[in-house]
Amino acid sequence: MSNRFPKKFSYGSDCLLLLIACLVPSVLFNGINGVKIAAAGVITAVVTDALCTLIFRTDAPVFSRYSVITGLSSVMLLSAGAPVYVAITASFSSVVVGKLPFGDWEKTPFVPAAVGSALAWVLYPGKCFSYPVPFTGNYGSAESLASMLKNGNSANMTAPGILNILVGNFPGPLGTTCGIFFAACLVYFLIRNIDAFITSAGFISICFLFAALFPRVQSGRQTSVIMELCSGALLFTAVFFMNYPNVRFRSVNFAMLYGMAGGVVYMLIRYFGAFEDGAPFAVLIINAAAPVFEARTRKAHETEKEELSSPEKEVSE
């Protein structure tokens, strides 16, 4: 099975760099508590992974940058005002439930951070969905864009209001609110690896269509698109979760289809689910369906090889 990420695009180093950059706008808007949550997530993941490796004597290295990536990713979907123990729960669950039963980080069929985030949402919904007001730290007193959409309320769509949405100056999960940053991530992927860009683009395109065709606000399709794309963990999911290297394709067409399928599942859960957002649950569902896409990829690749080799057989005969 070919590697989805060539040498010029190392998922580990590139993803870690981008995740750290995610923290910059969060710290700017939410203060030092965001750093505490991120540090708790990373330390928990690294220590838990090392202990599990030593205790169970797995073939995985004692320290892996994937544990750092998972620790950061698992807390990015939490509120910047969440208690530290919620971050520890999410990060610990990511390693013990999402990675340990499957051995190596790249062998797990699921994105480990999505497992941890989902469990934290289920166990502590009141803590995970209560957001501080940017620059004030007033915990639990603000309504996120995702919550507004769930309730059918429109955000401020004046020029300053749209600018605040794009730069991330509104309540929301820790590392997911800055739309401009994620646009830069997509450009980065376009330059570094086309498969990663295609998967993310497929995911976002379906979310765009849902928002335009089935708006949840009465103020117009444009408002619906801006709010849907910039709310919750949509862009974070497109950039990081949909490109985890446990899924590999030999064709950009299947990378696109995988991203689009993920977008459909995500938007259906967002529209009809109990929570204001459904990112980790959608990721786990599409991860479970990934073998179907991989099997179709292998079959298409084998068929293509047979078609290319058939003229040579005819000539030899």
Side-chain angles (χ1 to χ4, degrees):
M1 186 177 294
S2 63
N3 195 337
R4 189 179 175 194
F5 300 101
K7 289 183 179 179
K8 71 173 183 177
F9 183 95
S10 168
Y11 176 87
S13 57
D14 286 44
C15 183
L16 185 57
L17 174 66
L18 295 176
L19 280 170
I20 293 173
C22 263
L23 285 176
V24 175
S26 176
V27 172
L28 175 64
F29 295 126
N30 300 299
I32 196 65
N33 201 57
V35 177
K36 293 180 182 178
I37 293 174
V42 170
I43 293 171
T44 301
V46 171
V47 172
T48 303
D49 187 38
L51 288 176
C52 289
T53 300
L54 293 173
I55 293 172
F56 295 99
R57 298 180 181 180
T58 64
D59 295 332
V62 175
F63 173 79
S64 170
R65 58 188 169 186
Y66 282 100
S67 60
V68 179
I69 291 170
T70 297
L72 271 177
S73 300
S74 62
V75 301
M76 288 297 187
L77 271 62
L78 306 180
S79 166
V84 170
Y85 67 82
V86 177
I88 293 174
T89 300
S91 185
F92 179 82
S93 302
S94 297
V95 177
V96 174
V97 181
K99 180 259 184 180
L100 180 62
F102 308 101
D104 196 5
W105 287 103
E106 295 188 28
K107 293 179 181 177
T108 171
F110 304 104
V111 177
V115 176
S117 299
L119 286 174
W121 282 16
V122 171
L123 293 174
Y124 309 108
K127 304 295 184 182
C128 293
F129 299 116
S130 296
Y131 306 104
V133 178
F135 296 114
T136 67
N138 294 332
Y139 179 70
S141 59
E143 186 178 24
S144 68
L145 287 182
S147 178
M148 294 177 71
L149 284 164
K150 194 73 175 175
N151 297 323
N153 300 325
S154 297
N156 177 10
M157 285 293 118
T158 61
I162 293 175
L163 179 61
N164 283 331
I165 289 175
L166 293 178
V167 300
N169 185 17
F170 62 88
L174 178 63
T176 68
T177 58
C178 186
I180 293 177
F181 168 78
F182 289 107
C185 288
L186 292 175
V187 174
Y188 186 83
F189 281 175
L190 181 61
I191 297 171
R192 296 279 281 172
N193 183 269
I194 192 63
D195 279 7
F197 173 81
I198 287 295
T199 303
S200 297
F203 181 91
I204 294 172
S205 65
I206 290 297
C207 296
F208 177 95
L209 287 176
F210 262 81
L213 296 176
F214 311 107
R216 292 191 284 170
V217 292
Q218 301 298 319
S219 49
R221 299 182 190 278
Q222 180 179 348
T223 300
S224 173
V225 168
I226 294 174
M227 290 183 66
E228 292 284 2
L229 294 186
C230 294
S231 65
L234 191 153
L235 293 176
F236 183 91
T237 300
V239 169
F240 293 107
F241 283 172
M242 292 302 295
N243 284 306
Y244 196 81
N246 60 342
V247 179
R248 295 179 172 89
F249 306 105
R250 287 187 171 94
S251 165
V252 295
N253 293 333
F254 282 96
M256 171 68 80
L257 288 174
Y258 180 75
M260 294 173 71
V264 170
V265 175
Y266 177 81
M267 294 304 285
L268 287 176
I269 294 178
R270 174 178 268 200
Y271 275 46
F272 302 108
F275 296 134
E276 65 182 47
D277 196 43
F281 309 107
V283 171
L284 296 178
I285 291 173
I286 197 62
N287 284 165
V292 176
F293 291 89
E294 291 179 309
R296 294 293 299 173
T297 301
R298 287 195 299 270
K299 184 176 180 180
H301 182 71
E302 292 168 359
T303 302
E304 183 179 354
K305 286 180 64 176
E306 291 175 359
E307 291 176 350
L308 290 174
S309 61
S310 58
E312 297 176 3
K313 292 181 180 179
E314 292 176 2
V315 171
S316 62
E317 290 175 358

